[in-house]
Amino acid sequence: MSFELLAGPFAEFGFLRRALVGCIALALSAPPLGVFLVLRRMSLTADVLAHGMLPGVAIGFLVAGLSVTAMSLGGLIAGLAVVVGAGALSRATGGREDSALAGLYLISLALGVAIVSTAGGAVDLSRLLFGSVLGVDDAALWLMAGTAAFTLAWLSFAWRPLVLECFDPGHAAAVKARGGAWHLMFLGLVTLNVIAAAQAMGTLMSVGLMMLPAAAARFLARSIGGMVYAAVGIALASGLGGLLLSFHADLPSGAAIVLCAGFAWVLAALFGPVDGIITRRIAQARHLAG
């Protein structure tokens, strides 16, 4: 019975196996970036990029249809334009970068929806916004696998500068660690991962597998390495659980995966050993009793 529930769908249907491979690739690359976004207090940046790249994805779709290459290239250009534009605008005006990002992503989101709605239609807009994990093709799988490999290789070189920039930016500037350059490369990599996830989960849900496991890991470990391991484990479990939930409960696969990751986040926030709500209350009660 347990085999039929857990492994039976993947043994019987090839499209589920392909979806699982894609989820594994995303789970290995996106959550570590999410951990650094959480540590830098930039948790909403990935969501901004997911919305900001929509015009580029829409233009790529209009030019070449459901072409992974065209939509990914368009999304990458649009996402980087939002990031670089927000940085340039904040420096030119002396304002905060987050407010510039908010303004640019709202304009980009509205522009992307207008482009698709005018020339595509409701079905095409739904596909771009929400994706289809179960419809992942070879090109999308190669994009996810390549993104995961490149991300992990880049993190192996950038780990120490990123950690230093998170916890001691003053020292990083003093030793000329080129924090600005690492920051731009990091945001570019976040954009690439969001694009890879969007092929399966759409632009509106692609951030879920990056940020929810990372937010949950904050309650499970104190070290950055421990947080990354926990986030990747949660993302892997969420991908598997979401696909099974989608299959058995007839739910949209992307939404089911994000819901599983959200459930893990709620559990971690309540019972996590690091500042979990219930765990902290129990510790306080014991302290008062002692």
Side-chain angles (χ1 to χ4, degrees):
M1 185 66 178
S2 60
F3 175 82
E4 293 180 358
L5 289 175
L6 300 178
F10 299 104
E12 183 176 357
F13 298 105
F15 66 89
L16 277 176
R17 292 194 294 272
R18 296 167 65 84
L20 181 61
V21 171
C23 288
I24 291 174
L26 294 175
L28 291 176
S29 63
L33 299 177
V35 168
F36 281 104
L37 287 172
V38 170
L39 292 174
R40 289 168 170 236
R41 298 182 180 180
M42 298 172 60
S43 299
L44 292 178
T45 300
D47 189 54
V48 168
L49 292 174
H51 291 78
M53 72 183 193
L54 185 58
V57 175
I59 292 174
F61 170 75
L62 294 180
V63 171
L66 292 173
S67 167
V68 173
T69 302
M71 291 192 297
S72 300
L73 181 59
L76 180 61
I77 293 173
L80 291 178
V82 169
V83 171
V84 175
L89 185 61
S90 64
R91 286 193 296 270
T93 62
R96 291 175 57 88
E97 186 176 4
D98 56 351
S99 61
L101 277 172
L104 289 177
Y105 103 78
L106 288 172
I107 295 172
S108 297
L109 176 61
L111 179 61
V113 172
I115 292 173
V116 179
S117 298
T118 300
V123 175
D124 300 329
L125 179 61
S126 176
R127 174 67 183 268
L128 289 179
L129 293 179
F130 302 107
S132 176
V133 178
L134 303 183
V136 172
D137 57 12
D138 288 342
L141 280 181
W142 279 110
L143 175 62
M144 295 176 193
T147 298
F150 182 74
T151 299
L152 295 177
W154 187 84
L155 284 175
S156 68
F157 289 101
W159 184 268
R160 293 187 67 181
L162 288 178
V163 172
L164 184 61
E165 186 70 20
C166 283
F167 292 102
D168 197 350
H171 179 67
V175 299
K176 298 181 180 180
R178 297 180 181 178
W182 288 110
H183 179 68
L184 285 178
M185 286 189 287
F186 172 74
L187 290 179
L189 203 59
V190 172
T191 304
L192 183 61
N193 275 264
V194 171
I195 290 172
Q199 301 302 322
M201 305 177 72
T203 59
L204 294 186
M205 295 190 181
S206 59
V207 183
L209 206 59
M210 177 183 291
M211 297 310 306
L212 284 172
R218 173 251 183 273
F219 298 100
L220 301 176
R222 296 187 183 276
S223 67
I224 297 180
M227 291 176 64
V228 168
Y229 286 127
V232 169
I234 292 171
L236 290 170
S238 299
L240 176 62
L243 290 176
L244 290 172
L245 178 62
S246 172
F247 179 81
H248 292 297
D250 194 23
L251 295 174
S253 48
I257 292 172
V258 174
L259 284 174
C260 287
F263 180 68
W265 171 64
V266 171
L267 288 181
L270 289 174
F271 303 104
V274 181
D275 294 331
I277 296 174
I278 302 300
T279 305
R280 188 167 52 187
R281 294 290 177 85
I282 293 175
Q284 290 174 349
R286 289 178 177 173
H287 178 72
L288 292 175

